[in-house]
Amino acid sequence: MRKFINVTVVILSLIGLQACSLISPDKSCVSKSCPKEKPIIIAHRGASGYLPEHTLEAKTMAYALGADYIEQDVDLTKDDHIVVAHDPYLGTISNVQELYPERIGKDGKYHIRDFTLAEIKKLTLHERTDLKTGKAVYKDRFPNTTAIPFRMPTLREELELIKGLNKSTGKDVGIYVELKNPSIYKDHGKKFADLTLKLLAEYGYTNEDSKCFIQCFDPYLLKYIKYDLKSKLRLIQLIAHNEWAETPGIDYNEMLTQKGLKEISTYAYGIGPSIDQLFVNYAAGDLKLNNVAKWAHEYGLKIHPYTLRADDLPKGLTYEQVIRVLLNEAKVDGLFTDFTDLGVKYRNKYCCQKK
């Protein structure tokens, strides 16, 4: 496995250096109207449009394609190791059912918190699949194969990878860490946050100038990080849809009001809404904005919406149409995308364009 990763790192890094020399965000926009801080492109789960999400290979490719920040969704194992995975479950992204069929939970799911790191490292990861159909959620992405041993990385491994690439390329790509589902822990994720921030501090991520964001759907945990742990890292309040039941007792619709955004501004650096929450009727292909972005900026909040996918757009819309409105009209400060190269390309095209 180590040999495979090393080869991938070398190849993709070389590709990335060549590509970045052509579309470097530092050289692509020379207009005097450029904002001092151009919108950042955040690699959502890595280059997940091209390789299985949250693998070191996907993170390496995202780096090579010019991401400004690379996302790490983190969960905690049974033996308190921090691993990088979007879900707290293993069934949709790995061969856990083949290796550990008897370890299924009462809810019919394989929980990361029920496995040790050593057990998880034996799993092979693949593209996200629909458990009901057995088919890939995104049918045209990387094909499932047992020939390539994709593994679930720890947060430490990923930090080492990005640190190493920053050194070898001379770039300064940042990290964007999400603490996943803190409500599943008895202490509502406090120990989880303690361990994560301690590890980040080992790598120099300690203050508001660090190339690091911390995001979470749970405002209680964000406030714990800010007020109890006294962290200076930039905090992003993720905003879900209420029907997702993301955090018990939280009304996310309220967060999208002027009152809610004003409250968020007291403890967070910015917000991470779903893209559709910035529009009146995005699902119908209507790109008319609502007032959320306007209000958020009035309260000094940065806006980093999620997730722009070239292969999952409302009917009639293109990736370029959506990103143009987000950049030029909503004036978002960053954007999560599965397709890093497209994000960089259109950010560089539109970031300086006057409305």
Side-chain angles (χ1 to χ4, degrees), residues 252-269:
Y252 289 103
N253 292 335
E254 175 65 22
M255 285 188 178
L256 295 168
T257 66
Q258 285 182 285
K259 178 181 178 182
L261 291 165
K262 182 178 181 180
E263 162 62 18
I264 292 172
S265 72
T266 65
Y267 64 87
Y269 176 83

Side-chain angles (χ1 to χ4, degrees), residues 12 42 51 58 70-71 78 82 95 107 128 132 137 146 151 186 204 219 257 270 289 300 310 312 328 330-331:
L12 291 180
I42 309 150
L51 284 165
I70 298 176
E71 184 192 36
K78 184 178 182 179
I82 305 168
N95 62 339
D107 59 356
R128 179 171 293 273
K132 293 181 179 179
V137 173
T146 57
R151 306 293 186 195
K186 292 181 180 179
T257 66
L289 294 169
D312 187 20
N328 287 349
K331 299 187 183 303

Side-chain angles (χ1 to χ4, degrees), residues 43-141:
H44 183 246
R45 311 181 200 176
S48 54
Y50 304 110
L51 284 165
E53 65 184 52
H54 283 316
T55 56
L56 291 182
E57 291 84 354
K59 303 306 173 73
T60 303
M61 186 171 187
Y63 193 106
L65 291 175
D68 299 302
Y69 284 79
I70 298 176
E71 184 192 36
Q72 298 80 31
D73 293 319
V74 295
D75 296 274
L76 204 59
T77 67
K78 184 178 182 179
D79 49 350
D80 290 342
H81 287 277
I82 305 168
V83 292
V84 182
H86 179 265
D87 300 338
Y89 317 114
L90 297 164
T92 60
I93 59 168
S94 76
N95 62 339
V96 65
Q97 195 166 5
E98 297 174 17
L99 267 61
Y100 306 105
E102 75 288 352
R103 302 285 292 279
I104 194 167
K106 293 181 180 179
D107 59 356
K109 298 177 180 179
Y110 295 88
H111 297 256
I112 286 177
R113 67 181 185 272
D114 291 336
F115 291 80
T116 66
L117 178 61
E119 291 170 331
I120 284 176
K121 282 296 187 180
K122 294 179 182 178
L123 300 175
T124 299
L125 303 186
H126 53 65
E127 273 292 328
R128 179 171 293 273
T129 59
D130 183 328
L131 294 179
K132 293 181 179 179
T133 65
K135 296 181 179 180
V137 173
Y138 301 103
K139 63 183 181 66
D140 294 323
R141 296 191 181 185

